Structures are given as structure tokens and as C-alpha cells.
Amino acid sequence: SQQGEEDPQALSIQEGENATMNCSYKTSINNLQWYRQNSGRGLVHQILIRSNEREKHSGRLRVTLDTSKKSSSLLITASRAADTASYFCATDLINAGNNRKLIWGLGTSLAVNP
Amino acid sequence: SAVISQKPSRDICQRGTSLTIQCQVDSQVTMMFWYRQQPGQSLTLIATANQGSEATYESGFVIDKFPISRPNLTFSTLTVSNMSPEDSSIYLCSVGWLAAGYNEQFFGPGTRLTVL
């Protein structure tokens, strides 16, 4: 299986704290993306990092990528109750030709308590 | 970006029947994907439905069970055939572009299917 893995599977924190989620993958990638899913809804793209990038910021989100370790981390700073959701990493494989698809991680369920 | 709608949003069906899920996009897209997601689980890709070609199914999924239509660049359907309780799941469609060389996907709200 080429499925990525996230840890932790579940994370519970207090508002204002930082949340860190990790993702590992197995093959060479073109880019790695993080998505958010509110309960029972569709996924929403959060941030993308290319294979030649090491760190990227978007608002309160910070993503890092270590291609030597085949891993990525997503940091949400100063968390809010509205950040409560599941977060999935997805890898876009290199040299996938015309049949491009994303390989999805197992997800981290984040609960931010008021 | 794209706005994607799915119909129905949810349904409860009897064993042995079939359900067709519609996915409508507000703009023309090349790549369209159908996923299944069990409660609390990750996404499993069923098939890729690119306009102008037959759908490409992932291992474990077959056309007889999950026939897909892609008549144009803004619409697709997924049928779940001869349903069993194991087919109870959320079904998601998504669209993607290869803009700037990367595959970012936009998702519909999902169809929650319960099979009795």
C-alpha cells in the first residue's frame, strides 16, 4: 500500500494551544497537500508544499516537508474551537502520467476545546 | 476553484437495489474522482472519470458494481449497484486540475448512503 500515515490519530487541545500533526509517505512525490474535513462533509484544501520546498506558511498554518525522511508536519498555531476537524495529508506522486491521483493518509482527528 | 454539488445528500436504501449519485460542477474540469469514505476512516479512491475516456477503476472496484458516466466536462454519475449493508458509506466526488503541474482537488459535500 502506498497510503500515507498520520500521527497522532486523535489530538485534543485547548484553545490557544498549537496543534501539530505528522504525515509519512512511502514513494517519491511531486507535492504534498493537507486537507481539512468537518464532520460528515467534503474535504477542503488547506495548503500545498512542493517537493523542492522545505517550509510553507498560510495564515496560522505552517507545513514542513522532509523528503529524506518522507515526512511532513502541519502546525496550527493559536488554535480555535473552529479548527476542530479531521486533517488529511495527500501525496501527488511523481511521474504519474495522465492518471494523476492523490494518495491519502489515514487522518488526524483534532478537537480544540473552548 | 470550483463549486461542486452532489445529489442526493443522503439516502437510505434496501439491500439489492441500486442508487445513482450525481455530481455537478460549476466549471469545466478534466479530472473527476469518486471516493468512498467509511465513518471515521480515510478516503478510498473508487475510480477516476476523465471525460472522453472510460473510467479507470482502482483495485477492488469493478465497473459492474460501480458504473460511472461522464457525459461532459461538468457532470458525472456513480451508481452503486445491487447494494448490501457493506456499501453503507459516504461517497464523495472531487475534481482536479493540473494547473501549474499539480493536482489539487475540490470536493463535493458527499452523499451519505445507508443500506438496510
Side-chain angles (χ1 to χ4, degrees), chain A residues 2-113:
Chain A
Q2 294 181 345
Q3 194 167 41
E5 299 177 359
E6 275 116 312
D7 71 88
Q9 290 188 338
L11 181 61
S12 181
I13 60 175
Q14 296 299 123
E15 262 192 327
E17 295 180 342
N18 296 339
T20 300
M21 292 161 265
N22 303 300
C23 169
S24 62
Y25 57 92
K26 298 179 181 179
T27 61
S28 296
I29 62 172
N30 186 36
N31 61 76
L32 186 144
Q33 306 173 34
W34 286 90
Y35 289 77
R36 166 192 170 134
Q37 183 181 34
N38 287 359
S39 179
R41 304 295 293 171
L43 284 78
V44 178
H45 183 267
Q46 300 295 292
I47 192 167
L48 177 149
I49 187 165
R50 292 185 169 83
S51 59
N52 61 354
E53 298 175 314
R54 293 296 167 259
E55 185 172 316
K56 201 164 183 181
H57 297 254
S58 177
R60 293 183 296 112
L61 302 181
R62 172 180 169 248
V63 63
T64 61
L65 180 65
D66 187 335
T67 53
S68 67
K69 296 180 179 179
K70 290 187 168 57
S71 68
S72 172
S73 67
L74 175 68
L75 170 67
I76 303 175
T77 60
S79 64
R80 306 166 182 168
D83 294 329
T84 296
S86 292
Y87 292 83
F88 294 90
C89 70
T91 51
D92 187 8
L93 301 185
I94 200 166
N95 294 329
N98 291 326
N99 295 321
R100 295 287 286 272
K101 61 183 180 182
L102 296 178
I103 306 299
W104 294 87
L106 299 176
T108 294
S109 177
L110 173 64
V112 181
N113 304 305

Side-chain angles (χ1 to χ4, degrees), chain B residues 5-79:
Chain B
S5 59
Q6 282 184 238
K7 290 181 181 179
S9 59
R10 59 179 61 229
D11 207 342
I12 300 174
C13 301
Q14 295 297 320
R15 180 195 299 260
T17 63
S18 298
L19 176 71
T20 296
I21 302 169
Q22 300 179 7
C23 181
Q24 180 75 52
V25 190
D26 69 342
S27 56
Q28 294 184 339
V29 295
T30 303
M31 299 189 297
M32 207 170 231
F33 306 89
W34 286 99
Y35 291 91
R36 183 170 73 182
Q37 185 181 30
Q38 304 283 358
Q41 302 295 314
S42 185
L43 284 75
T44 300
L45 181 63
I46 297 172
T48 301
N50 292 339
Q51 198 272 339
S53 62
E54 295 293 322
T56 302
Y57 288 83
E58 296 299 303
S59 175
F61 298 95
V62 295
I63 188 171
D64 289 347
K65 175 68 175 177
F66 297 100
I68 288 171
S69 78
R70 182 80 200 273
N72 56 53
L73 290 172
T74 63
F75 187 77
S76 178
T77 66
L78 169 76
T79 299

